[in-house]
Amino acid sequence: MKKGHSTPGKRANALHLPNFVRLVERYKKCVVGIEVIQTPYRDRALFFPWERPLPREGRAALNIGTGFMFHPKGYILTNEHVIAEADRIMLRAFGRKDLVEAELVGRDRKHDIAVLWANLPVPSPVLRLGHSKDVQVGEWVVAIGSPLGLDHTVTVGIVSAKNRPLQIGDREYPNLIQTDAAINRGNSGGPLINLRGEVIGMNTAVSQSSQGIGFAIAADVLRQRVKAILGDV
């Protein structure tokens, strides 16, 4: 075989590799980094130690997370635990240096869901919520978020399992999606996207004692709770 030529098997495998580049380019402007300012810091009973800020006497305490635009009117979805007890919610949009302050539209503490709005250009297309029944174990997924405050970080993996029930404190998480896509502090509230560009879940929790185990709130739960918050908007 001549040098530089690949075998038919290699060419076939290459054709089946997912194109994450196009997916990320299409939806990266929908994802925002979140900085939460709490002044003064109060000792709160958070159940997400990887999100908890360090105490700072007399200074603002900072929490970080991710959100994403899911509605043509610019509404942004994130975790309620990311913005809990916030004095100010600041967003970092793609391609912008200045932070933009967001408004809290509504929240559902029990299911850990919050809806925000900010005066930001609405990208086209926005990210759309998929359907949980279409999620398949083993399918490729992409997570976009701000782990450790590093905006628009992309990680990939697969759906490891579905319908994982979990309760943390007084919060209930029915039908969580388990994934091995890397999720770290700051990823909470970010989208878990399939290759069709649908949000199948919102990244929410990680297992600190293990690697490759993350959880996302399923799209059907998100849709139900968003409808309760926004009504027919």
Side-chain angles (χ1 to χ4, degrees):
M1 181 169 52
K2 293 182 180 180
K3 187 176 180 180
H5 286 252
S6 60
T7 64
K10 289 182 178 179
R11 288 197 299 271
N13 289 336
L15 291 175
H16 287 85
L17 291 175
N19 190 335
F20 299 117
V21 175
R22 293 180 182 176
L23 188 68
V24 173
E25 284 296 316
R26 186 173 176 83
Y27 294 111
K28 63 185 179 183
K29 293 182 180 180
C30 297
V31 181
V32 295
I34 298 177
E35 292 186 8
V36 170
I37 301 173
Q38 300 148 328
T39 52
Y41 176 79
R42 296 186 298 274
D43 190 13
R44 308 189 315 281
L46 288 179
F47 302 104
F48 300 86
W50 57 89
E51 299 288 357
R52 184 171 182 163
L54 296 174
R56 301 179 185 178
E57 292 295 334
R59 296 176 57 191
L62 190 66
N63 197 7
I64 58 174
T66 304
F68 63 94
M69 287 192 186
F70 69 99
H71 194 282
K73 291 187 178 181
Y75 292 113
I76 296 166
L77 199 57
T78 189
N79 281 132
E80 199 276 340
H81 79 258
V82 170
I83 54 87
E85 298 185 32
D87 292 317
R88 300 179 70 192
I89 304 170
M90 309 303 293
L91 305 183
R92 299 186 306 276
F94 184 85
R96 294 186 57 155
K97 294 182 179 180
D98 297 332
L99 296 176
V100 177
E101 188 162 3
E103 302 173 11
L104 176 61
V105 177
R107 67 173 84 198
D108 180 337
R109 174 179 169 77
K110 182 178 180 180
H111 296 96
D112 200 8
I113 294 167
V115 177
L116 312 175
W117 185 88
N119 187 18
L120 287 170
V122 179
S124 180
V126 294
L127 280 163
R128 298 287 188 175
L129 298 177
H131 296 276
S132 300
K133 64 180 178 61
D134 298 327
V135 177
Q136 298 184 27
V137 174
E139 73 171 303
W140 286 100
V141 286
V142 177
I144 306 177
S146 303
L148 306 179
L150 301 172
D151 294 341
H152 293 87
T153 296
V154 178
T155 56
V156 300
I158 63 168
V159 173
S160 303
K162 300 193 301 180
N163 304 320
R164 297 287 202 206
L166 186 65
Q167 182 162 350
I168 304 177
D170 59 352
R171 302 182 196 262
E172 297 179 2
Y173 300 90
N175 305 323
L176 286 173
I177 296 171
Q178 182 181 328
T179 179
D180 67 351
I183 297 174
N184 293 282
R185 178 178 181 266
N187 273 113
S188 286
L192 189 66
I193 310 169
N194 64 19
L195 294 184
R196 296 185 295 279
E198 301 165 336
V199 176
I200 63 169
M202 181 167 66
N203 301 318
T204 297
V206 292
S207 172
Q208 289 191 298
S209 60
S210 304
Q211 293 183 351
I213 300 179
F215 298 97
I217 300 174
D220 285 358
V221 176
L222 297 175
R223 185 179 295 102
Q224 292 167 5
R225 305 325 304 164
V226 165
K227 185 176 181 180
I229 293 171
L230 294 180
D232 295 327
V233 172

